Amino acid sequence: MVSFFTGTALLALTTLLPLAEALDNGVARVPVLGYNTWNAYQCNIDQDLMITTATLMKSLGLQDAGYHYVNIDDCYGELQRDNQTGRIVPDHIRFPNITAMNDEIHAMGFKTGIYSDSGWFTCAGYPGSFENEALDAETFQDWGFSYLKYDNCAIPFDDIIREGIVGKYERMANALTDLAKKSGKPPFVFSLCEWGWSQVWLWGKNFGHSWRVTGDIAPQWDSLAAIINFNSFITQGTDFSGHNDMDMLQLGNGGLTFDEAKSHFTAWALMKSPLLIGTNLSQITDDILGILKNKEILAINQDSVVGQSISPFRWGINPDWTSNSSFPAQYWSGPSENGTVIMLLNTLPEPATMFFNLTESPWIRAGRQYSVRDLWSHTDNGTAVRNFTAENIPAHGVVAMLLKDAGNEPSGIFPQCAVWFQCTSENGTHVGG
């Protein structure tokens, strides 16, 4: 029998259980930015494609925007290991010299990542790394990779594995740690692709730098909404060196409106998910490229002072803390190096006006006014006092702002409190709103 948590039950679980300490080993302190082949190409990959993709990332300005990883997903190998060395073998036709490929991509200034699986086989049926963790880690490093996405297919029978899901990932984590000590090279970036079924956000940061929190993304609003909703209850799992991975960016693959694409990118970036592009870059439009290169949004994702995700402060159309995969939380905030980040997400299929009192966000001080920076129009939009209203946010659209303290609010404002509940004078008199 499969059981699912309601939002309330999930919140209670994550409140009661302590979060693990992050794996702070000198790499991936902030989310990884880069490219992954799976969403655009699945198994239709080869050496030329990887070099072409890296070349496009450079010429399109994505490298300058901070996207520094070019990652291969599944299907790069032969179906059998080498019968003498036991090593995984690159497909001899599609990847005739995978080391030379990496050398060429590295020469462009990129790092490279590869994929494997914690079971007998990968999800596409290629050799997995179970019982070959140390050998495969060494092989991947010998080929020139420094990032490993590690999947969860083809799990061995219980009488073979004799450990839980944590132990299955710990095997490769230990192999990568030992390899770094042995080789003297920086540790691999380790991305756990466990899909979140075993509350990976509670234990994943013991072993990796990011962990998938749901199943695979699809380029439809319903998929985005479900992932945002699930992640809204576990934002405390993200901080420096450990990130809830909401899966790859599905921009430009069809199925999303332009406003939905903006919401997708904004939510992923501000929740500090790794940002791995999954689009055919030879077909990318200027509009989608502009979304991916939004430097003000990217700066918050890559904040070197504050590592935590934004979190909901009001649930919008749902009763508080109620899970709704179609209508996730709409009102979000969080701290950053340069002010309070606000995300207003219109989850409705029609335009909406959204209003909130500033102090509903725990990061806003009462009695202060705040300058408003729009992170999409890149404009300074005056000063907010007590509350803020965003008019006509498009269907499934987003507003992203940075609020900076601009001093005391003007004197003489009535009522004395923006949020009237329990507003009390020094003599004990409650003041109405």
Side-chain angles (χ1 to χ4, degrees), residues 188-362:
F188 266 62
V189 176
F190 191 31
S191 175
L192 283 61
C193 189
E194 193 274 329
W195 321 321
W197 308 144
S198 65
Q199 292 79 59
V200 64
W201 57 92
L202 296 174
W203 56 265
K205 59 179 62 181
N206 281 328
F207 309 112
H209 303 98
S210 63
W211 39 86
R212 280 278 296 281
V213 294
T214 64
D216 290 353
I217 192 173
Q220 290 99 34
W221 174 256
D222 287 350
S223 176
L224 304 184
I227 293 171
I228 293 168
N229 177 66
F230 191 90
N231 200 62
S232 69
F233 296 101
I234 57 171
T235 56
Q236 70 271 38
T238 283
D239 210 328
F240 286 127
S241 303
H243 309 100
N244 291 328
D245 182 355
M246 299 164 69
D247 203 7
M248 289 168 274
L249 294 171
Q250 281 285 67
L251 307 179
N253 287 341
L256 297 179
T257 67
F258 177 68
D259 289 303
E260 289 171 344
K262 284 175 61 178
S263 295
H264 175 19
F265 180 77
T266 303
W268 265 237
L270 301 188
M271 283 191 267
K272 304 295 181 80
S273 175
L275 301 178
L276 294 173
I277 301 166
T279 303
N280 182 337
L281 294 181
S282 67
Q283 300 174 2
I284 196 168
T285 65
D286 289 342
D287 284 346
I288 296 302
L289 191 61
I291 292 174
L292 291 168
K293 292 166 64 175
N294 185 324
K295 292 185 178 180
E296 293 191 72
I297 298 287
L298 289 171
I300 295 169
N301 180 265
Q302 298 290 293
D303 193 321
S304 63
V305 175
V306 178
Q308 66 195 80
S309 165
I310 60 169
S311 297
F313 63 85
R314 192 204 292 178
W315 236 249
I317 71 169
N318 304 320
D320 286 354
W321 304 103
T322 302
S323 180
N324 188 324
S325 61
S326 298
F327 299 97
Q330 293 183 293
Y331 296 82
W332 303 67
S333 69
S336 79
E337 178 181 6
N338 295 309
T340 298
V341 182
I342 300 288
M343 181 175 77
L344 305 180
L345 185 68
N346 178 17
T347 63
L348 301 175
E350 63 269 344
T353 294
M354 298 178 67
F355 166 91
F356 67 98
N357 288 310
L358 297 186
T359 52
E360 290 183 69
S361 165

